[in-house]
């Protein structure tokens, strides 16, 4: 599946050290998995986690789910060995934490070659350099690290995420300018379904492609929030049909449900239908 066209509604973190979770993920309906060697793995487990993950990926069974491996930073004792190991793993993407500049991406690419790279956007410097990071030729996705960002910015948690908005907006602008995938940060309270649904809806409204998750119970909520709704699909079909009709009579503006429809709205409608089809294709396996 074309990486740009495929769905990224649910992107689940799995600690690379947890064999049971690595196995469970094979049967979960997630669009992508972040196999984590960084924050979800304790320092004395780092080496074991690398081997455990390598074996799990070699065994396979993850179907069409995108396989993303998050390594430790190259400034840590484990980063270089992780990056060298990823080269040998059956992974689709390598995810670099705490990216501050395009030079950080260069340093990883010097080890991982032409493997696509995603960047964790989670530091103030990363926010200020988002445009240059996004423009790196091997960079294909941004993942928001809202926990680290909250720590660095010394913000307080708010349900409306107001203290995060500048950072989320800067990264979205940079990602959209370069045609990157943009995935929203995690919702820590993994037993609070209502709060997660609100945050997913906000992320979807802002233009994120999906949400990073920490627990299987969060998957269905994200999948629903980031998929086109039945109402959106129905409207998209009617917009396309109405525009085709006026276009045939030499006009450039249709009206559907009391709102104008121009060629740009038709482009959005086509994207909605394409996304719905891509989700069906992924589900069909
Ligand atoms: C949060 C958890 C520690 C909870 O674990 P646990 O108490 O084991 O949960 P449950 O008993 O409810 O688990 C039920 C079953 O589900 C499996 N499970 C749990 N979590 C996962 C998972 N992430 N992926 C796959 N499977 C999972 C359990 O094994 C149970 O299975 P079974 O026994 O067969 O029924 C735990 O969920 C967890 O560790 N989550 C991941 C935490 C993590 O990855 N953190 C790092 C990423 S967040 C971050 O760093 C973002 C960023 O960098 C930032 O700065 O914001
Ligand atoms: Mg982080």
């Amino acid at each position: 599946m074309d990486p740009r066209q495929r769905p990224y509604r649910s992107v689940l973190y799995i600690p690379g050290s947890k064999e049971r979770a690595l196995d469970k993920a094979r049967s979960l309906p997630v669009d992508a998995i972040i196999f984590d060697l960084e924050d979800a793995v304790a320092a004395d487990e780092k080496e074991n986690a690398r081997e455990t993950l390598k074996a799990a990926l070699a065994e396979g069974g993850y179907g069409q789910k995108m396989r993303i491996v998050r390594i430790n930073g190259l400034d840590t004792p484990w980063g270089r060995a992780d990056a060298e190991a990823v080269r040998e793993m059956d992974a689709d993407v390598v995810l670099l934490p705490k990216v501050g500049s395009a030079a950080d991406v260069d340093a990883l690419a010097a080890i991982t070659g032409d493997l696509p790279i995603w960047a964790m956007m989670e530091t103030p410097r990363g926010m200020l350099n988002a445009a240059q990071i996004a423009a790196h030729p091997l960079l294909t996705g941004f993942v928001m690290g809202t926990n680290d960002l909250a720590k660095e910015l010394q913000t307080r948690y708010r349900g409306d995420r107001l203290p995060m908005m500048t950072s989320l907006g800067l990264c979205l602008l940079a990602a959209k300018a370069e045609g990157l995938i943009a995935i929203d940060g995690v919702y820590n309270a993994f037993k609070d379904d209502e709060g997660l649904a609100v945050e997913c809806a906000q992320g979807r409204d802002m233009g994120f492609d999906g949400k990073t998750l920490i627990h299987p119970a969060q998957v269905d909520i994200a999948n629903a929030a980031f998929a086109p709704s039945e109402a959106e699909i129905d409207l998209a079909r009617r917009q396309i049909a109405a525009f085709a009709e006026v276009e045939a009579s030499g006009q450039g503006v249709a009206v559907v449900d009391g709102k104008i429809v121009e060629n740009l709205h038709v482009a959005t409608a086509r994207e909605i239908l394409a996304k719905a089809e891509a989700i069906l294709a992924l589900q069909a396996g």
Side-chain angles (χ1 to χ4, degrees), residues 37 69 71 81-89 91 93-94 112 115:
L37 296 173
V69 175
I71 63 169
D82 287 349
E84 284 167 355
V86 170
R87 239 179 12 201
E88 312 300 324
M89 287 181 195
V93 166
V94 55
T112 52
L115 186 64

Side-chain angles (χ1 to χ4, degrees), residues 243 252 261-268:
F243 189 79
V261 178
E262 297 172 343
N263 54 2
L264 71 154
H265 302 111
V266 172
T268 302

